[in-house]
């Protein structure tokens, strides 16, 4: 008896076509939805601060799109309003953004395909993007999903900053506490990162020790010193574990 090929495909799961993959853009949008909601009030506060500093509304959108460094952009507003020299601006940018150098040690840039895509991914490497891509579930993400994730975070920030500047004149001066969204956002990201460690307590302990040492020994460059100490500690721990694994077992 001759069997219909279509019926045979249904009977044999191995020969059936693979299920349609979920859209990478849709998946990335869901991945960064919570982060985007945290960026909205922060971007609105930044845009309103631009207007209150006497700058034009378009300055907020241009800064968010081209600089894309939230903490440095808040600092830059005061420096621009005070007409600080470019040397001071450059030094401040280096000190505030130097932490991104350490992010590249574990950011999955090697999974991003294409020179142009790598360039944008490097530019759009923010604290939020790093925290999301460093999670355990992100180890299988494709190049497109990583890029879409960074693009949506970029869009959240630039869009909310522009909206905050346009609406800045309607926000009363009595409204305070919007900048706390940044602290809350990083607290949530840090808690998620600790959960992904699955009981690896030495890593957060090492980070805390490095922060305390940097606070007392290098109070004026605490962030840079803490990242340097933490990176050195991680490298030392990695080398120690490799040495332990390579040691032959004694009978």
């Amino acid at each position: 008896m001759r069997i219909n090929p279509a019926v045979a495909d249904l009977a044999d799961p191995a020969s059936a076509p693979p299920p349609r993959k979920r859209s990478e853009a849709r998946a990335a949008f869901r991945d960064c939805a919570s982060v985007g909601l945290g960026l909205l009030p922060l971007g609105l506060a930044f845009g309103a601060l631009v207007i209150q500093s006497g700058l034009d509304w378009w300055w907020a959108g241009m800064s968010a799109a081209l600089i894309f460094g939230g903490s440095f952009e808040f600092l830059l507003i005061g420096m621009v309003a005070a007409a600080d020299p470019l040397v001071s601006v450059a030094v401040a940018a280096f000190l505030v953004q130097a932490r991104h150098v350490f992010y590249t040690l574990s950011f999955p840039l090697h999974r991003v395909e294409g020179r142009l895509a790598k360039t944008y991914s490097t530019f759009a490497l923010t604290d939020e993007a790093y925290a999301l891509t460093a999670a355990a579930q992100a180890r299988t993400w494709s190049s497109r999903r990583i890029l879409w994730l960074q693009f949506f975070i970029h869009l959240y920030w630039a869009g909310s900053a522009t909206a905050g500047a346009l609406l800045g004149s309607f926000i009363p001066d009595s409204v305070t506490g919007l900048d706390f969204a940044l602290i809350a956002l990083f607290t949530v990201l840090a808690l998620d990162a600790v959960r992904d460690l699955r009981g690896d307590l030495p890593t957060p302990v090492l980070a805390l020790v490095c922060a305390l040492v940097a606070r007392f020994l290098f109070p004026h460059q605490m962030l840079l010193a803490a990242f340097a100490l933490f990176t050195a500690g991680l490298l030392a721990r990695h080398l120690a574990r490799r040495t332990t694994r390579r040691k032959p077992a004694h009978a």
Side-chain angles (χ1 to χ4, degrees):
M1 182 178 64
R2 186 176 181 181
I3 301 177
N4 191 328
V7 178
D9 289 341
L10 293 175
D12 185 7
S15 61
R20 186 176 180 181
K21 292 184 178 180
R22 186 174 58 176
S23 169
E24 299 285 11
R26 187 183 306 171
F29 183 78
R30 293 178 180 176
D31 294 331
C32 67
S34 58
V35 169
L37 292 177
L39 287 176
L40 285 177
L42 187 63
L44 291 173
F46 171 72
L49 184 59
V50 168
I51 299 300
Q52 293 176 1
S53 300
L55 300 174
D56 294 328
W57 68 270
W58 53 263
W59 200 93
M62 184 185 68
S63 171
L66 300 181
I67 299 177
F68 194 29
S71 54
F72 173 65
E73 288 180 62
F74 274 96
L75 177 63
L76 185 61
I77 293 176
M79 302 185 75
V80 172
D84 287 347
L86 292 178
V87 175
S88 299
V89 175
V91 172
F94 173 78
L95 293 177
V96 174
Q97 302 295 92
R99 65 188 186 277
H100 292 84
V101 176
F102 302 102
Y103 288 169
T104 59
L105 296 176
S106 54
F107 182 75
L109 187 62
H110 61 282
R111 297 210 307 266
V112 178
E113 301 173 356
R115 182 175 300 179
L116 184 61
K118 287 181 181 293
T119 301
Y120 176 76
S121 184
T122 303
F123 163 75
L125 176 54
T126 60
D127 303 311
E128 296 81 10
Y130 174 80
L132 291 174
T133 55
Q137 65 269 18
R139 293 172 184 170
T140 58
W141 287 359
S142 65
S143 172
R144 291 176 60 85
R145 187 165 177 175
I146 295 173
L147 288 172
W148 275 115
L149 176 85
Q150 292 182 280
F151 172 76
F152 284 131
I153 294 176
H154 196 176
L155 189 62
Y156 270 117
W157 175 246
S160 59
T162 304
L166 293 174
L167 301 174
S169 58
F170 300 99
I171 299 177
D173 297 335
S174 59
V175 176
T176 58
L178 289 176
D179 53 343
F180 182 75
L182 181 63
I183 300 175
L185 175 61
F186 284 127
T187 301
V188 173
L189 293 175
L191 290 175
D192 289 341
V194 171
R195 292 192 188 101
D196 287 336
L197 293 175
R198 297 180 181 179
D200 188 9
L201 185 60
T203 298
V205 171
L206 178 62
L208 178 61
V209 171
C210 292
L212 292 176
V213 172
R215 174 65 180 85
F216 288 105
L217 297 183
F218 310 98
H220 300 293
Q221 293 85 26
M222 176 184 171
L223 185 62
L224 183 61
F227 268 109
L229 291 172
F230 185 59
T231 303
L234 291 177
L235 291 175
R237 188 180 67 177
H238 177 69
L239 293 175
R241 287 179 176 177
R242 288 186 60 182
T243 303
T244 303
R245 291 172 184 172
R246 289 180 179 179
K247 282 186 177 181
H250 296 283

